[in-house]
Amino acid sequence: MLEVRCLLRSVRFCSSAPFPRHKPSAKLSVRDALGAQNTSGERIKVQAFPIKYKERHPLEYLRQYPHFRCRTNVLGSILRIRSEATAAIHSFFKDSGFVHIHTPIITSNDSEGAGELFQLEPSGKLKVPEENFFNVPAFLTVSGQLHLEVMSGAFTQVFTFGPTFRAENSQSRRHLAEFYMVEAEISFVNSLQDLMQVIEELFKATAMMVLSNCPEDVELCHKFIAPGQKDRLEHMLKNNFLIISYTEAVEILKQASQNFTFTPEWGVNLQTEHEKYLVKHCGNIPVFIINYPLAIKPFYMRDNEDGPQHTVAAVDLLVPGVGELFGGGLREERYHFLEERLARSGLTEVYQWYLDLRRFGSVPHGGFGMGFERYLQCILGVDNIKDVIPFPRFPHSCLL
């Protein structure tokens, strides 16, 4: 009873307390600010805002101010399109029956086998000499593919969409140290044709959704950043993507009148200049390159068993202005083939768990990955990948 009386007294006190009145808001004009003085009567020097109103600053200039550039019309449009494209990709996979998997950012695997990894170590007092925090070397992920393969054995169709990291010392217009990847794995896929169909549908469906849902932002980019990109994108969307083999691609490059910095040869990776030439040669229509040499692809690609050439069922999608956008292929589901490949590479112990996926039952499956920032470059015509991500990270630059 005593508690109730105290509570009522408190409520009565609060109810009778005077309501604080808002003080009139202060106003300060630009002229007042520029003519402001300190207590000593000296003029205060006001620093000019680096982004001038109604002035069309180059994207290179805006890159110096990652904390301000999002306020400009062009970056605002790009980032709204990025948001819409993210939603479109999730919508496509959901409507197609895929399960979204959150693959880890910290991993002990190198799915690319390239060794371009950021290794993790604790800092400060937590760091113990000659001891790993996780008991094994740990890295920032370069791909969620291997973890998706685990999940595809349970859910058939899975995808992930998240940040990936490459310690590649490149300052090119299409490379970042931190970027986003869209990756998918599909069980019961028996041919590259099935995989390529999903890739083409993903590209076209999401691009159409972006064009439909934010036309003004796309128009601004096409008008002020990449005149003519609207027609180029429509050309890509209305035509069926082409398919040529790696061997055919090398022959096309060898017969080209253009002088390449890197001489095209069979058994060597295609360079960006080669990729862009091939797309142009094919009428600026996206083109699938299939069946790459075994020696230049990761250990998990399915062996085609095609004699002296010895290729694997790998596929890349090349698009105008960018080059490689998608990369994927069929996975080697046959235990003995995979065991031999790992043994030759000296990776058997590290990937014993990966062999277990085959040892205890597997099915034909395949998958692909798409660089999200390159996708935005492709549909918007943005020349530099650093301008389609809010806070770009690249060698010698980690602002904010």
Side-chain angles (χ1 to χ4, degrees):
M1 193 68 179
L2 180 60
E3 293 178 357
V4 174
R5 288 175 184 168
C6 292
L7 178 61
L8 289 173
R9 195 178 298 120
S10 300
V11 171
R12 199 176 297 118
F13 174 78
C14 292
S15 301
S16 60
F19 189 80
R21 293 182 180 179
H22 290 288
K23 294 180 181 179
S25 58
K27 294 182 179 180
L28 181 67
S29 68
V30 174
R31 184 174 297 175
D32 292 334
L34 293 175
Q37 298 177 343
N38 61 17
T39 54
S40 304
E42 299 173 345
R43 282 188 179 275
I44 300 172
K45 187 177 180 180
V46 179
Q47 187 176 358
F49 188 64
I51 299 174
K52 293 180 174 59
Y53 180 60
K54 288 189 176 180
E55 184 171 330
R56 198 183 302 167
H57 294 285
L59 293 174
E60 292 82 1
Y61 173 81
L62 295 176
R63 223 173 285 148
Q64 304 172 76
Y65 306 101
H67 49 316
F68 289 138
R69 69 175 187 164
C70 55
R71 302 183 189 182
T72 64
N73 289 337
V74 65
L75 260 296
S77 289
I78 289 174
L79 295 179
R80 278 191 294 272
I81 292 167
R82 183 185 175 99
S83 175
E84 190 61 44
T86 300
I89 288 167
H90 278 276
S91 178
F92 172 84
F93 281 118
K94 183 178 180 181
D95 293 344
S96 302
F98 282 71
V99 176
H100 184 203
I101 303 296
H102 292 123
T103 53
I105 291 176
I106 300 175
T107 179
S108 57
N109 299 317
D110 174 13
S111 63
E112 294 291 324
E116 297 162 346
L117 302 165
F118 288 104
Q119 187 164 356
L120 290 177
E121 293 182 359
S123 62
K125 296 179 180 179
L126 290 175
K127 190 170 183 179
V128 180
E130 300 180 2
E131 185 177 314
N132 288 310
F133 184 87
F134 296 102
N135 292 335
V136 294
F139 312 92
L140 293 178
T141 183
V142 297
S143 169
Q145 179 213 314
L146 299 184
H147 298 97
L148 283 183
E149 282 198 60
V150 173
M151 293 296 170
S152 69
F155 300 107
T156 307
Q157 297 185 120
V158 293
F159 82 101
T160 191
F161 188 170
T164 52
F165 308 85
R166 303 279 172 90
E168 186 174 357
N169 189 20
S170 173
Q171 293 281 359
S172 81
R173 295 174 180 268
R174 61 178 210 152
H175 287 95
L176 289 168
E178 177 186 8
F179 56 98
Y180 278 70
M181 282 279 285
V182 179
E183 299 176 274
E185 287 292 321
I186 310 169
S187 293
F188 305 104
V189 170
N190 293 297
S191 70
L192 283 178
Q193 187 63 48
D194 296 334
L195 210 56
M196 290 187 288
Q197 183 177 343
V198 177
I199 291 173
E200 185 169 348
E201 288 175 356
L202 170 62
F203 178 89
K204 290 182 174 180
T206 53
M208 291 297 290
M209 197 176 298
V210 168
L211 292 174
S212 174
N213 291 348
C214 42
E216 293 180 355
D217 288 319
V218 174
E219 183 182 1
L220 184 146
C221 292
H222 288 173
K223 183 178 179 179
F224 294 107
I225 298 178
Q229 182 62 21
K230 180 181 178 182
D231 294 335
R232 289 189 288 270
L233 181 58
E234 289 177 353
H235 182 63
M236 285 187 268
L237 295 176
K238 73 179 183 181
N239 285 287
N240 294 326
F241 294 177
L242 304 178
I243 305 171
I244 61 175
S245 71
Y246 169 87
T247 301
E248 290 171 322
V250 172
E251 287 304 312
I252 291 171
L253 293 169
K254 285 182 175 180
Q255 295 172 18
S257 57
Q258 178 176 328
N259 292 321
F260 297 109
T261 303
F262 298 91
T263 303
E265 295 180 17
W266 200 96
V268 179
N269 276 311
L270 299 178
Q271 301 295 321
T272 303
E273 59 177 346
H274 302 149
E275 296 169 351
K276 290 184 176 181
Y277 178 86
L278 289 169
V279 175
K280 189 176 180 180
H281 176 84
C282 293
N284 285 316
I285 296 172
V287 55
F288 288 108
I289 311 295
I290 63 172
N291 298 330
Y292 282 78
L294 177 146
I296 64 174
K297 286 297 180 179
F299 64 86
Y300 45 72
M301 292 295 186
R302 196 177 200 277
D303 195 329
N304 283 328
E305 300 180 86
D306 52 355
Q309 281 192 327
H310 210 175
T311 65
V312 291
V315 57
D316 288 339
L317 177 66
L318 312 183
V319 296
V322 174
E324 182 190 344
L325 177 60
F326 284 82
L330 302 183
R331 314 309 184 195
E332 184 57 84
E333 86 282 4
R334 297 165 295 184
Y335 178 83
H336 294 296
F337 278 81
L338 185 60
E339 185 181 38
E340 289 177 8
R341 292 277 295 279
L342 288 171
R344 285 199 299 269
S345 304
L347 298 172
T348 302
E349 184 178 349
V350 177
Y351 288 100
Q352 192 62 50
W353 65 270
Y354 194 69
L355 273 173
D356 286 346
L357 295 177
R358 277 69 175 169
R359 179 185 288 113
F360 298 105
S362 183
V363 297
H365 60 286
F368 59 83
M370 177 188 79
F372 183 51
E373 283 74 26
R374 289 190 186 182
Y375 165 80
L376 294 173
Q377 282 186 277
C378 177
I379 64 174
L380 297 179
V382 177
D383 187 47
N384 199 309
I385 197 170
K386 301 174 185 69
D387 299 320
V388 294
I389 190 170
F391 303 102
R393 273 77 173 96
F394 51 95
H396 314 299
S397 179
C398 187
L399 299 178
L400 301 190

